[in-house]
Amino acid sequence: MPTAKTACILCSRNCGLEVEVEGGHLKKIRGDAAHPSSKGYLCNKAARLDYYQNHADRLTHPLKRQPDGSFVRVSWEQALGDIGQRLNAIRDTHGGDAFAFVGGGGQGNHLGGAYGRQLLPAMKSRFVYSSLAQEKTGDFWVNGRLFGAQNCHPMEDVEHADYVVFIGCNPYQSHGIVNARDVLKAIKNDPRRTMVVIDPRRTETAQQAHIHLQLRPGTDAYLLLAMLSTIVRENLHDQAFIDAHCTGFDAVKAALLSVPVDNYAKRADVPLADVQQVARGFAQAQRGCVRVDLGTQQTLNTTLNAYLEKLLYLITGNFGQVGSNNLHTAFLPVIGNTDETKLKPGKTLKRTVYHQMMPIAGMYPPAILPDEILKAGEQRIRAVVCESSNPLLTYPDSAAQEAAFKSLELLVVVDIAMTETARLAHYILPAASQFEKAEATGFTLEFPDNYFHLRQPLLAPLGESLPEPEIYTRLLEAMGLLPRTFPVLGAIARNEPALTRHLAYMTALGATLARKKHWAPYAASILYRTLGSTLPQAAAAPLLPIAMGYAKEHAVAVRRAGHQGSALTLGANLFRAIVDGASGTVTSKHDHAEMWSLLKTPDGRVHLQVREMLDAIQALAVEPEQASEFPFILMAGERRTYNANQIFRDPAWRKVDHDGALRMHPQDAMALGLENGEVVQCRTERGALEVTVEIDSALRTGVVTLPHGYGVSFQNSKPMGPPINRLTSTLHCDPFSKTPFHKHVPAAICKLARVKPCDASERVTALQ
Ligand SMILES: Nc1nc2c(c(=O)[nH]1)N[C@H]1C(S)=C(S)[C@@H](COP(=O)(O)OP(=O)(O)OC[C@H]3O[C@@H](n4cnc5c(=O)[nH]c(N)nc54)[C@H](O)[C@@H]3O)O[C@H]1N2
Ligand SMILES: Nc1nc2c(c(=O)[nH]1)N[C@H]1C(S)=C(S)[C@@H](COP(=O)(O)OP(=O)(O)OC[C@H]3O[C@@H](n4cnc5c(=O)[nH]c(N)nc54)[C@H](O)[C@@H]3O)O[C@H]1N2
Ligand code: SF4
Ligand SMILES: [Mo]
């Protein structure tokens, strides 16, 4: 049977796939050996992708909500005409602050991002709320200060490192690094390499590690400070590297020397000797790197954790080398830069109305969204377009999100499926799935070689569903912001000879936008309607100027990757290679020494001294108290073998763990008189759920975990598995970035006083 090339859309790795397609189904799924990064690798989840493509909650037509809450089918013209009119009216009456764009590109559907973002200028709004701002914005903020721009983002070269420290991540399950399971195995089996895992649970990754520091949840800042202090006390930092590449080390050193190492190791509940062993081992390694994820980003001291983790590799000189942490290029700009210290004089950041929250990397945090809708008075958010996201299940405090979304004057949801959030919408617009349209991921965060993968559609869009580029372009037309055709530009695009490599078209586009300045914010849709009609995939048209910009910025590295051309044609040639490359295209090949050119500080140095973070180190001396009413720490959102965000709705995709069990240490289970498989109540300050116990000796005592990605009401059923964000709070978050402490939720676990166990249909309903 013929196979088609695409990529997995279940996590940020977006592994290349070869798929046999038959009768609308994704049948046999294999890794694509020609993919530049995954090279044939895939994990257990990819084999089940047909459950994403084909299921009973897929949307096939635009839907309009009726006063009684039911939905009727409407035409695209009717839906977009009405939405366009209502958006215009809300903007004209209440101004730009009344609109927010929510979501926008999940695990790999980022091509539509250039189109969806056009709604912001259309609405004169700056408000983009994104799930990335409930995990990574603390990290991005720190990058802004250290490296000069919030989109200067370091990756970790785990594949080539001889000393790897994983902090608060479980790559065996969640991936996030190149071909995780193979790479972990290789490190484990190589006596010259060391793998350290810092995690309160003996995870699948920790089981492969040489050293596991099973710290108390939420104490990473203490543990990292104890390690950093050990390094400077013992003069193990790399002074030559610091002198050559950094500023501000003296202030950092003074702060680190003041840390009570023994006391902080105790607070983390890790033996001092183990702390010292890892500090010394990492500092002395030839090629060391650090990888973090949600375990440090969704727990106490989020932003400080990001700073300290980066200090670990920076002061030891593990930066800009093979097997260390490195900055990387980014073809699609997923991360923005809104660092207040980099603003031009007279410019200020757009703060939200109620929380006065600044954007980080151009995004606003989900934790404040309910208040910005419900509590901001006349200046509140009244209209939301929500795409590729299911905030009702994935944003903190589902009850608060539900109340807020319900109160909107206009909610439009663009999704492939009927979701919990969609059920509250005034209009639901059906998107073609990621296998039914041209798509691409912006999560190509690699160095020294980087790549980009434009995927071709495998199937026709289901029913009347449309790709996002078409949806947003039609919406801009319905709002009266763009004409339906651009005859002159269209003709230039069609008639241009291949030899001139789109130069005539780009010149004409530039001239048109200079003349018609009010069209400039909608260049993506104009490219789509004009150049797009000459391409195999119209949606790829905005990649032309992106490729030209990338080639200009990284010309040497782009040429090294095999692309040819003059200063004028290199970008267009890169673009054509991407359009023609079914398995993905290597876009640039850098030398490690060139990494420094990616740094954005004016002096080309890393600015180690970050005042706010040095203050935060001081503030750590005071330890927060834990409410005794909630004796457990719930880690709400573990990655397991069969969860993948909220991407699958049909629970039949899971082979195991159908209930999404609450994991608990045997001693805790014994103390509470609980057995494996017993249904208990898990209660927090915000709500309560009934969940099934799974006894797990890999945990620390006093810690319980629930998985991410459950709680779906498939076909309007009761939630299947725990809808964990009924337990989380919008207030329990990092004061700096407002990223929620999902991994550190105080909870109580109670035995249910039931005579007979409840049957499966009763389970996991909210008691609230
Ligand atoms: N299977 C699967 N893979 C996924 C996803 C999925 O849903 N399912 N989602 C994808 C997405 S969007 C993301 S962001 C990534 C997230 O990937 P990860 O961050 O790796 O996954 P998690 O399991 O959420 O959390 C990582 C670890 O943090 C630990 N942890 C909890 N609290 C603390 C703490 O206080 N300190 C430390 N040091 N560790 C702590 C947990 O025990 C857990 O092992 O996974 C991606 N991959
Ligand atoms: N308590 C707790 N909450 C968490 C987490 C946690 O660990 N604990 N993890 C957080 C993290 S790290 C993340 S990344 C978020 C993820 O949460 P969300 O931002 O909600 O993202 P997904 O779960 O990926 O949402 C996927 C939605 O996109 C839709 N979709 C899929 N493909 C397409 C497409 O091509 N077009 C359109 N328009 N829609 C599509 C799916 O049907 C689904 O409704 O959850 C966060 N929430
Ligand atoms: S879930 Fe992630 S690691 Fe697994 S196949 Fe898909 S993209 Fe690759
Ligand atoms: Mo995520």
Side-chain angles (χ1 to χ4, degrees):
M1 188 171 298
T3 58
K5 306 239 186 189
T6 183
C8 177
I9 51 113
L10 297 175
C11 86
S12 63
R13 292 308 310 167
N14 299 108
C15 299
L17 301 181
E18 281 190 281
V19 183
E20 287 178 11
V21 184
E22 195 188 343
H25 287 272
L26 310 182
K27 286 276 159 101
K28 199 161 185 159
I29 297 178
R30 276 182 247 106
D32 178 6
H35 187 270
S37 176
S38 63
K39 300 188 175 89
Y41 178 88
L42 41 70
C43 79
N44 62 297
K45 295 190 290 299
R48 317 284 284 175
L49 274 169
D50 197 50
Y51 285 93
Y52 160 82
Q53 172 61 29
N54 293 294
H55 62 81
D57 272 351
R58 278 294 306 271
L59 297 164
T60 51
H61 304 93
L63 296 170
K64 179 180 183 180
R65 189 147 56 90
Q66 301 301 293
D68 68 357
S70 65
F71 286 95
V72 292
R73 180 176 163 178
V74 289
S75 69
W76 276 104
E77 214 180 351
Q78 191 186 341
L80 293 174
D82 192 23
I83 295 166
Q85 210 171 41
R86 289 167 74 174
L87 285 175
N88 281 344
I90 286 171
R91 181 200 55 218
D92 294 345
T93 315
H94 302 288
D97 287 356
F99 175 79
F101 186 82
V102 172
Q107 302 294 305
N109 48 320
H110 300 153
L111 198 58
Y115 298 88
R117 290 282 174 125
Q118 298 176 119
L119 286 182
L120 294 166
M123 291 301 290
K124 297 189 166 47
S125 166
R126 307 282 277 281
F127 295 138
V128 179
Y129 284 81
S130 160
S131 274
L132 268 178
Q134 64 169 326
E135 47 172 323
K136 304 272 181 286
T137 34
D139 194 276
F140 299 159
W141 185 88
V142 173
N143 292 338
R145 292 300 165 91
L146 290 172
F147 307 125
Q150 292 172 342
N151 47 11
C152 269
H153 179 259
M155 49 73 74
E156 50 288 313
D157 188 5
V158 175
E159 216 180 341
H160 302 105
D162 58 23
Y163 203 109
V164 182
V165 183
F166 291 117
I167 315 177
C169 60
N170 183 11
Y172 185 88
Q173 294 295 24
S174 63
H175 290 81
I177 59 165
V178 177
N179 302 355
R181 291 176 187 177
D182 292 352
V183 169
L184 293 177
K185 199 167 160 194
I187 304 175
K188 178 188 173 191
N189 292 333
D190 187 339
R192 291 159 304 178
R193 302 172 79 186
T194 306
M195 188 194 320
V196 178
V197 169
I198 300 178
D199 196 302
R201 181 166 175 268
R202 198 172 70 254
T203 58
E204 295 76 1
T205 308
Q207 285 169 32
Q208 313 218 26
H210 304 97
I211 302 172
H212 176 207
L213 306 185
Q214 196 166 7
L215 82 175
R216 197 145 59 89
T219 60
D220 297 78
Y222 296 103
L223 179 61
L224 283 163
L225 278 167
M227 285 167 59
L228 287 161
S229 189
T230 302
I231 290 170
V232 292
R233 277 165 202 265
E234 299 184 9
N235 256 323
L236 297 174
H237 52 278
D238 187 340
Q239 193 65 50
F241 174 91
I242 293 167
D243 290 344
H245 295 295
C246 304
T247 64
F249 179 62
D250 290 347
V252 172
K253 187 175 176 185
L256 295 179
L257 286 174
S258 73
V259 165
V261 176
D262 196 12
N263 176 271
Y264 278 19
K266 280 202 182 79
R267 287 203 199 182
D269 196 23
V270 174
L272 180 62
D274 292 359
V275 176
Q276 289 170 332
Q277 184 194 2
V278 174
R280 290 169 189 153
F282 185 75
Q284 287 164 348
Q286 287 292 314
R287 299 169 165 199
C289 74
V290 183
R291 159 90 193 163
V292 300
D293 212 333
L294 301 182
T296 63
Q297 294 167 344
Q298 291 185 338
T299 191
L300 311 182
N301 305 305
T302 318
T303 307
L304 178 59
N305 291 341
Y307 178 61
L308 299 175
E309 160 261 315
K310 289 169 208 289
L311 284 185
L312 192 58
Y313 59 77
L314 290 169
I315 70 164
T316 54
N318 285 301
F319 192 55
Q321 298 176 32
V322 179
S324 74
N325 291 78
N326 284 288
L327 300 175
H328 59 80
T329 65
F331 189 80
L332 275 191
V334 175
I335 309 170
N337 180 29
T338 41
D339 185 330
E340 65 217 315
T341 63
K342 308 293 177 313
L343 292 173
K344 296 204 177 87
K347 293 260 175 203
T348 50
L349 288 178
K350 177 72 190 168
R351 291 188 177 258
T352 63
V353 174
Y354 185 80
H355 281 274
Q356 289 292 303
M357 179 62 191
M358 61 185 173
I360 301 179
M363 297 168 241
Y364 294 85
I368 65 166
L369 183 56
D371 287 347
E372 301 295 339
I373 294 174
L374 292 170
K375 296 188 181 164
E378 276 306 298
Q379 286 174 282
R380 68 186 181 274
I381 294 171
R382 296 161 190 264
V384 162
V385 171
C386 173
E387 181 223 291
S388 304
S389 187
N390 190 2
L392 241 66
L393 287 186
T394 57
Y395 285 7
D397 195 341
S398 297
Q401 302 289 346
E402 183 172 358
F405 276 80
K406 269 187 177 160
S407 82
L408 289 166
E409 286 167 31
L410 178 64
L411 172 61
V412 178
V413 168
V414 183
D415 204 295
I416 69 151
M418 178 61 92
T419 66
E420 290 65 18
T421 311
R423 286 192 194 107
L424 303 181
H426 300 95
Y427 279 100
I428 308 176
L429 303 179
S433 85
Q434 296 191 52
F435 301 111
E436 298 166 348
K437 63 190 170 207
E439 255 309 349
T441 177
F443 291 148
T444 49
L445 319 174
E446 320 251 311
F447 188 86
D449 299 357
N450 210 348
Y451 72 99
F452 186 74
H453 186 189
L454 177 68
R455 287 125 52 185
Q456 310 299 323
L458 308 183
L459 293 158
L462 188 69
E464 288 180 6
S465 66
L466 291 174
E468 286 82 354
E470 183 64 29
I471 296 176
Y472 293 120
T473 302
R474 286 194 197 180
L475 182 54
L476 293 176
E477 291 161 2
M479 291 172 82
L481 297 167
L482 283 182
R484 275 165 217 276
T485 54
F486 303 85
V488 178
L489 275 179
I492 294 173
R494 275 194 307 280
N495 297 326
E496 181 158 11
L499 201 67
T500 54
R501 306 316 258 163
H502 307 299
L503 281 177
Y505 172 80
M506 285 305 291
T507 309
L509 178 67
T512 306
L513 298 184
R515 229 175 336 113
K516 296 203 178 259
K517 290 206 169 49
H518 57 289
W519 282 358
Y522 316 119
S525 283
I526 298 173
L527 276 146
Y528 171 71
R529 281 279 186 253
T530 54
L531 179 70
S533 62
T534 72
L535 300 172
Q537 299 303 332
L543 298 180
L544 174 62
I546 289 176
M548 291 171 81
Y550 190 89
K552 195 170 166 205
E553 196 177 345
H554 310 294
V556 174
V558 169
R559 289 210 172 85
R560 214 181 267 135
H563 307 286
Q564 292 172 354
S566 66
L568 285 176
T569 58
L570 183 65
N573 288 340
L574 174 62
F575 169 69
R576 295 310 305 201
I578 286 169
V579 168
D580 295 340
S583 291
T585 306
V586 177
T587 49
S588 52
K589 280 179 179 281
H590 278 87
D591 278 341
H592 278 84
E594 292 165 350
M595 188 213 72
W596 295 98
S597 71
L598 303 177
L599 201 72
K600 292 285 193 289
T601 48
D603 57 2
R605 286 167 171 261
V606 178
H607 294 186
L608 294 177
Q609 183 179 356
V610 180
R611 184 181 44 81
E612 293 88 337
M613 294 296 103
L614 296 181
D615 291 348
I617 292 175
Q618 297 283 315
L620 273 188
V622 185
E623 207 173 359
E625 278 178 31
Q626 195 182 324
S628 56
E629 188 196 343
F630 297 113
F632 283 90
I633 292 300
L634 165 69
M635 299 189 205
E638 196 168 53
R639 270 64 185 169
R640 296 183 182 172
T641 316
Y642 280 101
N643 58 7
N645 289 6
Q646 229 62 59
I647 301 169
F648 288 109
R649 294 192 64 80
D650 183 348
W653 89 276
R654 295 196 170 93
K655 285 191 171 173
V656 296
D657 197 16
H658 298 285
D659 288 350
L662 176 96
R663 290 177 169 160
M664 177 183 258
H665 191 274
Q667 276 178 28
D668 288 329
M670 199 154 59
L672 292 170
L674 302 178
E675 286 171 26
N676 228 354
E678 185 166 344
V679 176
V680 295
Q681 187 195 65
C682 176
R683 189 167 53 82
T684 70
E685 168 208 2
R686 295 301 303 149
L689 297 173
E690 287 190 11
V691 290
T692 307
V693 170
E694 178 188 320
I695 294 176
D696 178 7
S697 60
L699 278 167
R700 288 175 59 100
T701 55
V703 179
V704 289
T705 75
L706 282 172
H708 176 55
Y710 283 69
V712 165
S713 302
F714 184 58
Q715 289 286 281
N716 247 331
S717 70
K718 285 186 176 174
M720 318 280 255
I724 46 171
N725 281 311
R726 294 191 191 180
L727 302 176
T728 60
S729 160
T730 56
L731 300 176
H732 190 46
C733 63
D734 187 65
F736 233 84
S737 57
K738 304 273 185 213
T739 43
F741 299 148
H742 286 325
K743 305 289 188 223
H744 201 273
V745 184
I749 309 298
C750 308
K751 198 172 168 73
L752 289 179
R754 279 224 171 86
V755 182
K756 64 178 177 60
C758 59
D759 70 43
S761 68
E762 278 181 86
R763 282 186 199 171
V764 212
T765 44
L767 301 181
Q768 198 184 27

